[in-house]
Amino acid sequence: MYADDETIREILRESGDTWAVVGLSANEDRAAFGVARVLQRFGKRVVPVHPKAETVHGERGYATLADIPFPVDVVDVFVNSRLAGPVADEAVAIGAKAVWFQLGVIDPDAYARTRAAGLAMVMDRCPAIEIPRLS
């Protein structure tokens, strides 16, 4: 309902290669850590966004999306659904082209706002699953 193959392909292939991963830290036990590694293998630049602003997978981290001093193409969201809507709004504010809510991250109102702002969006999906499925 909130993700079709055409939109997923568009984000993965055409939206750009700089992905801000919100919720990405150096904690190897978190899903964001592994998914970020897959994105890198697929040729994406992964920018960690986490309050600790840690360097992860060789990329400097930032505390917020607004702190990133260069353009971001896609914002990949690994925070809980309650916090995801404001992150989507920040993605619109920084001029991202797309927003990706990970598995279990669901906010229909944020989806509607983000799409109305002209961004591509996927919700409740994982690019680490979609990349091999659509390749």
Side-chain angles (χ1 to χ4, degrees):
M1 178 172 170
Y2 294 105
D4 58 75
D5 287 352
E6 182 178 328
T7 302
I8 292 169
R9 280 189 187 97
E10 173 189 330
I11 293 172
L12 291 173
R13 296 180 183 162
E14 300 168 21
S15 290
D17 291 331
T18 301
W19 285 51
V21 181
V22 179
L24 175 58
S25 71
N27 184 343
E28 296 179 24
D29 294 329
R30 304 290 299 190
F33 190 88
V35 170
R37 178 69 79 201
V38 170
L39 288 168
Q40 282 184 323
R41 283 197 307 262
F42 189 64
K44 306 301 182 188
R45 178 182 185 189
V46 172
V47 181
V49 179
H50 190 279
K52 294 180 182 178
E54 300 172 302
T55 296
V56 183
H57 300 312
E59 287 285 347
R60 177 184 171 197
Y62 297 89
T64 69
L65 289 171
D67 292 338
I68 300 172
F70 47 83
V72 169
D73 300 311
V74 180
V75 176
D76 189 3
V77 182
F78 274 94
V79 300
N80 70 49
S81 297
R82 177 175 53 82
L83 302 173
V87 174
D89 296 337
E90 289 176 46
V92 171
I94 67 163
K97 297 174 189 169
V99 175
W100 191 300
F101 280 10
Q102 284 292 326
L103 289 171
V105 181
I106 301 168
D107 183 336
D109 292 335
Y111 181 89
R113 286 193 312 273
T114 303
R115 294 293 295 138
L119 281 68
M121 185 164 180
V122 170
M123 188 163 62
D124 194 27
R125 295 286 184 98
C126 178
I129 293 170
E130 301 301 329
I131 289 168
R133 185 179 75 80
L134 295 175
S135 293

Short mmCIF file of all heavy atoms in Angstrom, two decimals, residues 20-90:
data_model
loop_
_atom_site.label_atom_id
_atom_site.label_comp_id
_atom_site.label_asym_id
_atom_site.label_seq_id
_atom_site.Cartn_x
_atom_site.Cartn_y
_atom_site.Cartn_z
N ALA A 20 21.16 9.55 3.96
CA ALA A 20 21.27 9.81 5.39
C ALA A 20 20.47 8.72 6.11
O ALA A 20 19.29 8.52 5.81
CB ALA A 20 20.71 11.18 5.73
N VAL A 21 21.13 7.99 7.00
CA VAL A 21 20.47 6.91 7.72
C VAL A 21 20.23 7.38 9.16
O VAL A 21 21.15 7.42 9.97
CB VAL A 21 21.29 5.61 7.66
CG1 VAL A 21 20.55 4.49 8.39
CG2 VAL A 21 21.55 5.21 6.20
N VAL A 22 18.99 7.74 9.44
CA VAL A 22 18.62 8.28 10.75
C VAL A 22 18.43 7.12 11.72
O VAL A 22 17.62 6.23 11.49
CB VAL A 22 17.34 9.13 10.65
CG1 VAL A 22 16.95 9.66 12.03
CG2 VAL A 22 17.53 10.26 9.65
N GLY A 23 19.23 7.16 12.80
CA GLY A 23 19.22 6.09 13.77
C GLY A 23 20.44 5.19 13.67
O GLY A 23 20.60 4.25 14.43
N LEU A 24 21.32 5.49 12.72
CA LEU A 24 22.53 4.68 12.52
C LEU A 24 23.60 5.08 13.52
O LEU A 24 24.00 6.23 13.58
CB LEU A 24 23.07 4.87 11.10
CG LEU A 24 24.39 4.17 10.76
CD1 LEU A 24 24.31 2.66 10.98
CD2 LEU A 24 24.80 4.49 9.33
N SER A 25 24.03 4.09 14.30
CA SER A 25 25.12 4.29 15.26
C SER A 25 26.15 3.19 15.04
O SER A 25 25.99 2.33 14.16
CB SER A 25 24.59 4.23 16.69
OG SER A 25 24.21 2.91 17.04
N ALA A 26 27.18 3.19 15.85
CA ALA A 26 28.24 2.18 15.75
C ALA A 26 27.85 0.85 16.41
O ALA A 26 28.66 -0.07 16.44
CB ALA A 26 29.53 2.71 16.37
N ASN A 27 26.63 0.74 16.88
CA ASN A 27 26.15 -0.49 17.51
C ASN A 27 25.91 -1.56 16.44
O ASN A 27 24.92 -1.50 15.71
CB ASN A 27 24.87 -0.22 18.31
CG ASN A 27 24.37 -1.43 19.06
OD1 ASN A 27 24.76 -2.56 18.80
ND2 ASN A 27 23.49 -1.19 20.02
N GLU A 28 26.80 -2.52 16.37
CA GLU A 28 26.72 -3.56 15.34
C GLU A 28 25.52 -4.48 15.49
O GLU A 28 25.17 -5.22 14.56
CB GLU A 28 28.01 -4.39 15.34
CG GLU A 28 29.22 -3.59 14.97
CD GLU A 28 30.50 -4.42 14.99
OE1 GLU A 28 30.43 -5.66 14.85
OE2 GLU A 28 31.57 -3.80 15.14
N ASP A 29 24.87 -4.47 16.64
CA ASP A 29 23.71 -5.33 16.88
C ASP A 29 22.41 -4.74 16.35
O ASP A 29 21.39 -5.42 16.32
CB ASP A 29 23.56 -5.61 18.38
CG ASP A 29 24.72 -6.42 18.94
OD1 ASP A 29 25.29 -7.24 18.18
OD2 ASP A 29 25.06 -6.23 20.12
N ARG A 30 22.45 -3.48 15.94
CA ARG A 30 21.24 -2.83 15.44
C ARG A 30 21.08 -3.07 13.94
O ARG A 30 22.06 -3.13 13.19
CB ARG A 30 21.30 -1.32 15.71
CG ARG A 30 21.51 -0.93 17.17
CD ARG A 30 20.32 -1.23 18.01
NE ARG A 30 19.19 -0.47 17.53
CZ ARG A 30 18.05 -0.37 18.16
NH1 ARG A 30 17.87 -0.95 19.31
NH2 ARG A 30 17.06 0.32 17.64
N ALA A 31 19.84 -3.18 13.50
CA ALA A 31 19.57 -3.44 12.09
C ALA A 31 20.16 -2.35 11.18
O ALA A 31 20.64 -2.65 10.09
CB ALA A 31 18.07 -3.55 11.86
N ALA A 32 20.14 -1.11 11.64
CA ALA A 32 20.64 -0.01 10.81
C ALA A 32 22.10 -0.23 10.41
O ALA A 32 22.50 0.11 9.30
CB ALA A 32 20.50 1.32 11.55
N PHE A 33 22.88 -0.82 11.29
CA PHE A 33 24.30 -1.05 11.02
C PHE A 33 24.48 -1.97 9.81
O PHE A 33 25.23 -1.67 8.88
CB PHE A 33 24.98 -1.65 12.26
CG PHE A 33 26.47 -1.69 12.17
CD1 PHE A 33 27.24 -0.62 12.58
CD2 PHE A 33 27.12 -2.82 11.67
CE1 PHE A 33 28.63 -0.66 12.50
CE2 PHE A 33 28.50 -2.87 11.58
CZ PHE A 33 29.26 -1.78 12.00
N GLY A 34 23.77 -3.08 9.79
CA GLY A 34 23.87 -4.02 8.68
C GLY A 34 23.27 -3.50 7.39
O GLY A 34 23.82 -3.70 6.31
N VAL A 35 22.14 -2.83 7.48
CA VAL A 35 21.50 -2.28 6.29
C VAL A 35 22.39 -1.20 5.66
O VAL A 35 22.54 -1.14 4.43
CB VAL A 35 20.09 -1.73 6.61
CG1 VAL A 35 19.52 -0.95 5.43
CG2 VAL A 35 19.16 -2.88 7.00
N ALA A 36 23.02 -0.39 6.49
CA ALA A 36 23.93 0.63 5.96
C ALA A 36 25.08 -0.02 5.19
O ALA A 36 25.50 0.49 4.14
CB ALA A 36 24.46 1.50 7.10
N ARG A 37 25.58 -1.12 5.68
CA ARG A 37 26.66 -1.84 4.98
C ARG A 37 26.17 -2.33 3.62
O ARG A 37 26.88 -2.22 2.63
CB ARG A 37 27.16 -2.99 5.85
CG ARG A 37 28.23 -3.81 5.21
CD ARG A 37 29.53 -3.11 5.06
NE ARG A 37 30.25 -3.10 6.31
CZ ARG A 37 31.21 -2.25 6.61
NH1 ARG A 37 31.57 -1.34 5.74
NH2 ARG A 37 31.81 -2.28 7.75
N VAL A 38 24.96 -2.85 3.56
CA VAL A 38 24.39 -3.29 2.28
C VAL A 38 24.27 -2.11 1.32
O VAL A 38 24.62 -2.21 0.14
CB VAL A 38 23.02 -3.98 2.48
CG1 VAL A 38 22.33 -4.23 1.15
CG2 VAL A 38 23.19 -5.28 3.25
N LEU A 39 23.78 -0.98 1.82
CA LEU A 39 23.66 0.20 0.97
C LEU A 39 25.02 0.61 0.41
O LEU A 39 25.13 0.95 -0.77
CB LEU A 39 23.03 1.36 1.74
CG LEU A 39 21.54 1.22 2.05
CD1 LEU A 39 21.10 2.26 3.08
CD2 LEU A 39 20.72 1.34 0.78
N GLN A 40 26.06 0.55 1.23
CA GLN A 40 27.40 0.88 0.75
C GLN A 40 27.84 -0.09 -0.35
O GLN A 40 28.40 0.33 -1.36
CB GLN A 40 28.41 0.86 1.89
CG GLN A 40 28.36 2.09 2.75
CD GLN A 40 29.44 2.08 3.82
OE1 GLN A 40 29.78 1.05 4.40
NE2 GLN A 40 29.99 3.25 4.08
N ARG A 41 27.57 -1.37 -0.15
CA ARG A 41 27.95 -2.36 -1.17
C ARG A 41 27.20 -2.10 -2.48
O ARG A 41 27.69 -2.42 -3.55
CB ARG A 41 27.68 -3.78 -0.68
CG ARG A 41 28.73 -4.28 0.29
CD ARG A 41 28.71 -5.78 0.46
NE ARG A 41 27.42 -6.32 0.80
CZ ARG A 41 27.01 -6.63 2.04
NH1 ARG A 41 27.79 -6.42 3.06
NH2 ARG A 41 25.82 -7.14 2.23
N PHE A 42 26.04 -1.49 -2.40
CA PHE A 42 25.23 -1.16 -3.58
C PHE A 42 25.67 0.18 -4.18
O PHE A 42 25.09 0.65 -5.15
CB PHE A 42 23.75 -1.14 -3.18
CG PHE A 42 22.79 -1.03 -4.34
CD1 PHE A 42 22.69 -2.02 -5.31
CD2 PHE A 42 21.97 0.08 -4.46
CE1 PHE A 42 21.80 -1.91 -6.37
CE2 PHE A 42 21.06 0.20 -5.50
CZ PHE A 42 20.99 -0.80 -6.46
N GLY A 43 26.69 0.80 -3.60
CA GLY A 43 27.24 2.03 -4.16
C GLY A 43 26.71 3.32 -3.56
O GLY A 43 26.97 4.40 -4.09
N LYS A 44 26.00 3.21 -2.46
CA LYS A 44 25.45 4.41 -1.81
C LYS A 44 26.44 4.97 -0.79
O LYS A 44 27.14 4.23 -0.11
CB LYS A 44 24.13 4.10 -1.10
CG LYS A 44 23.08 3.45 -1.98
CD LYS A 44 22.72 4.29 -3.18
CE LYS A 44 21.63 3.65 -4.02
NZ LYS A 44 21.41 4.39 -5.26
N ARG A 45 26.48 6.27 -0.68
CA ARG A 45 27.21 6.92 0.41
C ARG A 45 26.24 6.98 1.58
O ARG A 45 25.15 7.54 1.47
CB ARG A 45 27.63 8.33 0.02
CG ARG A 45 28.34 9.04 1.16
CD ARG A 45 28.71 10.44 0.80
NE ARG A 45 29.49 11.04 1.87
CZ ARG A 45 29.82 12.31 1.92
NH1 ARG A 45 29.46 13.12 0.94
NH2 ARG A 45 30.51 12.78 2.95
N VAL A 46 26.64 6.42 2.70
CA VAL A 46 25.79 6.34 3.88
C VAL A 46 26.27 7.37 4.90
O VAL A 46 27.42 7.34 5.32
CB VAL A 46 25.83 4.92 4.47
CG1 VAL A 46 25.10 4.87 5.80
CG2 VAL A 46 25.23 3.92 3.49
N VAL A 47 25.37 8.25 5.29
CA VAL A 47 25.70 9.30 6.26
C VAL A 47 24.93 9.00 7.55
O VAL A 47 23.70 9.06 7.57
CB VAL A 47 25.30 10.69 5.72
CG1 VAL A 47 25.66 11.77 6.72
CG2 VAL A 47 25.93 10.94 4.36
N PRO A 48 25.65 8.66 8.62
CA PRO A 48 24.98 8.36 9.89
C PRO A 48 24.35 9.62 10.50
O PRO A 48 24.98 10.68 10.53
CB PRO A 48 26.10 7.86 10.81
CG PRO A 48 27.25 7.55 9.90
CD PRO A 48 27.10 8.43 8.71
N VAL A 49 23.11 9.49 10.96
CA VAL A 49 22.44 10.57 11.68
C VAL A 49 21.95 9.98 13.00
O VAL A 49 21.09 9.09 13.02
CB VAL A 49 21.27 11.16 10.88
CG1 VAL A 49 20.58 12.27 11.68
CG2 VAL A 49 21.74 11.68 9.53
N HIS A 50 22.54 10.46 14.08
CA HIS A 50 22.26 9.92 15.41
C HIS A 50 22.70 10.98 16.42
O HIS A 50 23.69 11.68 16.17
CB HIS A 50 23.06 8.62 15.60
CG HIS A 50 22.69 7.87 16.82
ND1 HIS A 50 23.17 8.19 18.06
CD2 HIS A 50 21.89 6.79 16.99
CE1 HIS A 50 22.69 7.34 18.95
NE2 HIS A 50 21.90 6.49 18.33
N PRO A 51 22.01 11.12 17.54
CA PRO A 51 22.42 12.13 18.51
C PRO A 51 23.90 12.04 18.93
O PRO A 51 24.51 13.07 19.23
CB PRO A 51 21.50 11.86 19.71
CG PRO A 51 20.28 11.26 19.10
CD PRO A 51 20.78 10.43 17.95
N LYS A 52 24.48 10.85 18.90
CA LYS A 52 25.90 10.70 19.25
C LYS A 52 26.83 11.15 18.14
O LYS A 52 28.03 11.32 18.37
CB LYS A 52 26.21 9.24 19.60
CG LYS A 52 25.52 8.74 20.85
CD LYS A 52 25.88 7.29 21.10
CE LYS A 52 25.18 6.75 22.31
NZ LYS A 52 25.50 5.32 22.51
N ALA A 53 26.33 11.32 16.92
CA ALA A 53 27.11 11.76 15.77
C ALA A 53 28.39 10.94 15.60
O ALA A 53 29.47 11.48 15.36
CB ALA A 53 27.42 13.25 15.86
N GLU A 54 28.26 9.62 15.69
CA GLU A 54 29.41 8.73 15.57
C GLU A 54 29.81 8.51 14.11
O GLU A 54 28.96 8.54 13.22
CB GLU A 54 29.07 7.36 16.17
CG GLU A 54 28.71 7.40 17.64
CD GLU A 54 28.20 6.08 18.14
OE1 GLU A 54 27.20 5.57 17.59
OE2 GLU A 54 28.81 5.54 19.07
N THR A 55 31.08 8.23 13.90
CA THR A 55 31.55 7.77 12.60
C THR A 55 31.19 6.29 12.48
O THR A 55 31.47 5.50 13.38
CB THR A 55 33.07 7.97 12.47
OG1 THR A 55 33.34 9.37 12.52
CG2 THR A 55 33.59 7.38 11.17
N VAL A 56 30.55 5.92 11.37
CA VAL A 56 30.12 4.54 11.15
C VAL A 56 30.46 4.17 9.71
O VAL A 56 30.21 4.95 8.79
CB VAL A 56 28.60 4.37 11.38
CG1 VAL A 56 28.20 2.90 11.21
CG2 VAL A 56 28.19 4.88 12.76
N HIS A 57 31.03 3.00 9.53
CA HIS A 57 31.40 2.52 8.19
C HIS A 57 32.26 3.54 7.44
O HIS A 57 32.14 3.72 6.23
CB HIS A 57 30.18 2.15 7.35
CG HIS A 57 29.31 1.08 7.93
ND1 HIS A 57 29.81 -0.11 8.41
CD2 HIS A 57 27.97 1.01 8.11
CE1 HIS A 57 28.81 -0.87 8.85
NE2 HIS A 57 27.69 -0.20 8.69
N GLY A 58 33.11 4.25 8.19
CA GLY A 58 34.02 5.21 7.58
C GLY A 58 33.43 6.56 7.26
O GLY A 58 34.11 7.42 6.70
N GLU A 59 32.16 6.77 7.59
CA GLU A 59 31.49 8.05 7.29
C GLU A 59 31.23 8.81 8.58
O GLU A 59 30.70 8.26 9.55
CB GLU A 59 30.16 7.82 6.57
CG GLU A 59 30.31 7.38 5.14
CD GLU A 59 30.71 8.52 4.20
OE1 GLU A 59 30.66 9.70 4.59
OE2 GLU A 59 31.08 8.19 3.06
N ARG A 60 31.57 10.09 8.57
CA ARG A 60 31.32 10.95 9.72
C ARG A 60 29.83 11.04 9.99
O ARG A 60 29.02 11.17 9.06
CB ARG A 60 31.87 12.35 9.44
CG ARG A 60 31.58 13.31 10.56
CD ARG A 60 32.02 14.70 10.26
NE ARG A 60 31.49 15.58 11.30
CZ ARG A 60 31.41 16.87 11.21
NH1 ARG A 60 31.84 17.47 10.13
NH2 ARG A 60 30.90 17.58 12.19
N GLY A 61 29.46 11.02 11.26
CA GLY A 61 28.06 11.13 11.65
C GLY A 61 27.67 12.55 12.00
O GLY A 61 28.53 13.40 12.30
N TYR A 62 26.39 12.81 11.97
CA TYR A 62 25.83 14.12 12.32
C TYR A 62 24.67 13.90 13.29
O TYR A 62 23.96 12.90 13.21
CB TYR A 62 25.34 14.84 11.06
CG TYR A 62 26.47 15.13 10.11
CD1 TYR A 62 26.85 14.21 9.14
CD2 TYR A 62 27.22 16.30 10.22
CE1 TYR A 62 27.92 14.45 8.29
CE2 TYR A 62 28.29 16.54 9.37
CZ TYR A 62 28.63 15.61 8.42
OH TYR A 62 29.70 15.85 7.58
N ALA A 63 24.45 14.87 14.17
CA ALA A 63 23.41 14.73 15.18
C ALA A 63 22.00 14.87 14.59
O ALA A 63 21.06 14.23 15.07
CB ALA A 63 23.61 15.76 16.29
N THR A 64 21.86 15.68 13.55
CA THR A 64 20.55 15.89 12.92
C THR A 64 20.73 15.99 11.41
O THR A 64 21.84 16.24 10.91
CB THR A 64 19.88 17.19 13.40
OG1 THR A 64 20.62 18.31 12.90
CG2 THR A 64 19.79 17.26 14.92
N LEU A 65 19.65 15.86 10.69
CA LEU A 65 19.69 16.05 9.24
C LEU A 65 20.14 17.46 8.89
O LEU A 65 20.91 17.66 7.95
CB LEU A 65 18.32 15.78 8.62
CG LEU A 65 17.85 14.33 8.59
CD1 LEU A 65 16.39 14.25 8.15
CD2 LEU A 65 18.73 13.50 7.66
N ALA A 66 19.69 18.44 9.65
CA ALA A 66 20.04 19.83 9.37
C ALA A 66 21.53 20.11 9.54
O ALA A 66 22.05 21.07 8.96
CB ALA A 66 19.23 20.77 10.27
N ASP A 67 22.23 19.27 10.29
CA ASP A 67 23.67 19.46 10.50
C ASP A 67 24.51 18.99 9.32
O ASP A 67 25.69 19.34 9.24
CB ASP A 67 24.14 18.69 11.75
CG ASP A 67 23.59 19.25 13.04
OD1 ASP A 67 23.21 20.44 13.06
OD2 ASP A 67 23.53 18.50 14.04
N ILE A 68 23.95 18.23 8.42
CA ILE A 68 24.71 17.69 7.29
C ILE A 68 25.01 18.85 6.32
O ILE A 68 24.08 19.48 5.82
CB ILE A 68 23.95 16.56 6.58
CG1 ILE A 68 23.68 15.42 7.57
CG2 ILE A 68 24.73 16.05 5.37
CD1 ILE A 68 22.76 14.34 7.04
N PRO A 69 26.30 19.10 6.04
CA PRO A 69 26.66 20.29 5.25
C PRO A 69 26.68 20.08 3.73
O PRO A 69 27.25 20.90 3.01
CB PRO A 69 28.07 20.61 5.76
CG PRO A 69 28.64 19.27 6.09
CD PRO A 69 27.48 18.47 6.64
N PHE A 70 26.06 19.03 3.25
CA PHE A 70 26.02 18.75 1.82
C PHE A 70 24.65 18.16 1.50
O PHE A 70 23.92 17.74 2.40
CB PHE A 70 27.16 17.79 1.41
CG PHE A 70 27.29 16.59 2.30
CD1 PHE A 70 26.49 15.47 2.13
CD2 PHE A 70 28.23 16.58 3.34
CE1 PHE A 70 26.60 14.38 2.96
CE2 PHE A 70 28.36 15.49 4.17
CZ PHE A 70 27.53 14.38 3.98
N PRO A 71 24.27 18.12 0.23
CA PRO A 71 22.94 17.61 -0.14
C PRO A 71 22.78 16.13 0.17
O PRO A 71 23.69 15.33 0.01
CB PRO A 71 22.87 17.85 -1.65
CG PRO A 71 23.89 18.89 -1.93
CD PRO A 71 24.98 18.69 -0.93
N VAL A 72 21.58 15.79 0.61
CA VAL A 72 21.19 14.41 0.89
C VAL A 72 20.09 14.04 -0.10
O VAL A 72 19.14 14.80 -0.28
CB VAL A 72 20.68 14.27 2.34
CG1 VAL A 72 20.02 12.92 2.56
CG2 VAL A 72 21.81 14.50 3.33
N ASP A 73 20.24 12.89 -0.72
CA ASP A 73 19.25 12.45 -1.70
C ASP A 73 18.09 11.69 -1.07
O ASP A 73 16.93 11.92 -1.38
CB ASP A 73 19.92 11.57 -2.77
CG ASP A 73 21.01 12.30 -3.50
OD1 ASP A 73 20.75 13.43 -3.96
OD2 ASP A 73 22.13 11.76 -3.61
N VAL A 74 18.42 10.74 -0.20
CA VAL A 74 17.42 9.87 0.42
C VAL A 74 17.63 9.86 1.93
O VAL A 74 18.77 9.78 2.39
CB VAL A 74 17.52 8.42 -0.12
CG1 VAL A 74 16.46 7.52 0.52
CG2 VAL A 74 17.39 8.40 -1.65
N VAL A 75 16.54 9.93 2.67
CA VAL A 75 16.59 9.81 4.12
C VAL A 75 15.96 8.48 4.50
O VAL A 75 14.78 8.25 4.25
CB VAL A 75 15.87 10.98 4.81
CG1 VAL A 75 15.84 10.78 6.33
CG2 VAL A 75 16.54 12.31 4.45
N ASP A 76 16.78 7.59 5.06
CA ASP A 76 16.38 6.25 5.47
C ASP A 76 16.15 6.30 6.98
O ASP A 76 17.06 6.65 7.73
CB ASP A 76 17.49 5.27 5.10
CG ASP A 76 17.11 3.82 5.27
OD1 ASP A 76 15.96 3.53 5.63
OD2 ASP A 76 17.99 2.97 5.06
N VAL A 77 14.95 5.95 7.43
CA VAL A 77 14.53 6.21 8.80
C VAL A 77 14.43 4.92 9.62
O VAL A 77 13.60 4.05 9.33
CB VAL A 77 13.18 6.96 8.81
CG1 VAL A 77 12.75 7.28 10.23
CG2 VAL A 77 13.30 8.24 7.98
N PHE A 78 15.27 4.83 10.66
CA PHE A 78 15.31 3.70 11.57
C PHE A 78 14.87 4.09 12.98
O PHE A 78 15.35 3.51 13.94
CB PHE A 78 16.74 3.15 11.66
CG PHE A 78 17.09 2.15 10.61
CD1 PHE A 78 17.70 2.57 9.45
CD2 PHE A 78 16.82 0.81 10.77
CE1 PHE A 78 18.06 1.67 8.47
CE2 PHE A 78 17.16 -0.11 9.80
CZ PHE A 78 17.79 0.32 8.65
N VAL A 79 14.00 5.06 13.12
CA VAL A 79 13.48 5.41 14.44
C VAL A 79 12.06 4.85 14.55
O VAL A 79 11.46 4.48 13.54
CB VAL A 79 13.49 6.94 14.68
CG1 VAL A 79 14.91 7.48 14.60
CG2 VAL A 79 12.58 7.67 13.71
N ASN A 80 11.53 4.80 15.76
CA ASN A 80 10.20 4.23 15.90
C ASN A 80 9.15 5.13 15.26
O ASN A 80 9.38 6.32 15.02
CB ASN A 80 9.88 3.88 17.36
CG ASN A 80 9.69 5.08 18.24
OD1 ASN A 80 8.95 6.00 17.90
ND2 ASN A 80 10.34 5.08 19.39
N SER A 81 8.02 4.55 14.98
CA SER A 81 6.96 5.24 14.23
C SER A 81 6.55 6.55 14.89
O SER A 81 6.23 7.52 14.19
CB SER A 81 5.74 4.33 14.09
OG SER A 81 6.07 3.18 13.33
N ARG A 82 6.58 6.62 16.20
CA ARG A 82 6.18 7.82 16.93
C ARG A 82 7.09 9.01 16.60
O ARG A 82 6.66 10.16 16.60
CB ARG A 82 6.21 7.51 18.42
CG ARG A 82 5.90 8.62 19.35
CD ARG A 82 5.84 8.14 20.80
NE ARG A 82 7.03 7.41 21.22
CZ ARG A 82 8.17 7.98 21.63
NH1 ARG A 82 8.28 9.29 21.64
NH2 ARG A 82 9.18 7.24 22.03
N LEU A 83 8.35 8.73 16.26
CA LEU A 83 9.33 9.78 15.97
C LEU A 83 9.56 10.00 14.48
O LEU A 83 10.25 10.94 14.08
CB LEU A 83 10.67 9.44 16.63
CG LEU A 83 10.64 9.24 18.15
CD1 LEU A 83 11.99 8.74 18.63
CD2 LEU A 83 10.25 10.53 18.85
N ALA A 84 9.01 9.12 13.66
CA ALA A 84 9.32 9.12 12.23
C ALA A 84 8.74 10.31 11.47
O ALA A 84 9.37 10.84 10.56
CB ALA A 84 8.86 7.82 11.59
N GLY A 85 7.55 10.76 11.84
CA GLY A 85 6.92 11.87 11.14
C GLY A 85 7.76 13.14 11.15
O GLY A 85 7.98 13.74 10.09
N PRO A 86 8.26 13.55 12.31
CA PRO A 86 9.14 14.72 12.32
C PRO A 86 10.40 14.54 11.48
O PRO A 86 10.89 15.50 10.88
CB PRO A 86 9.46 14.91 13.81
CG PRO A 86 8.29 14.32 14.52
CD PRO A 86 7.88 13.14 13.67
N VAL A 87 10.92 13.32 11.41
CA VAL A 87 12.10 13.08 10.57
C VAL A 87 11.74 13.27 9.10
O VAL A 87 12.49 13.87 8.34
CB VAL A 87 12.69 11.67 10.82
CG1 VAL A 87 13.83 11.38 9.84
CG2 VAL A 87 13.18 11.54 12.26
N ALA A 88 10.58 12.78 8.70
CA ALA A 88 10.13 12.98 7.32
C ALA A 88 9.98 14.46 7.01
O ALA A 88 10.37 14.92 5.93
CB ALA A 88 8.82 12.24 7.08
N ASP A 89 9.45 15.22 7.97
CA ASP A 89 9.31 16.66 7.78
C ASP A 89 10.69 17.32 7.63
O ASP A 89 10.86 18.24 6.81
CB ASP A 89 8.54 17.28 8.94
CG ASP A 89 7.10 16.78 9.03
OD1 ASP A 89 6.55 16.31 8.01
OD2 ASP A 89 6.54 16.84 10.14
N GLU A 90 11.67 16.87 8.41
CA GLU A 90 13.03 17.39 8.29
C GLU A 90 13.61 17.05 6.92
O GLU A 90 14.34 17.86 6.33
CB GLU A 90 13.92 16.81 9.38
CG GLU A 90 13.64 17.33 10.77
CD GLU A 90 14.50 16.63 11.82
OE1 GLU A 90 15.72 16.49 11.58
OE2 GLU A 90 13.95 16.22 12.85
#
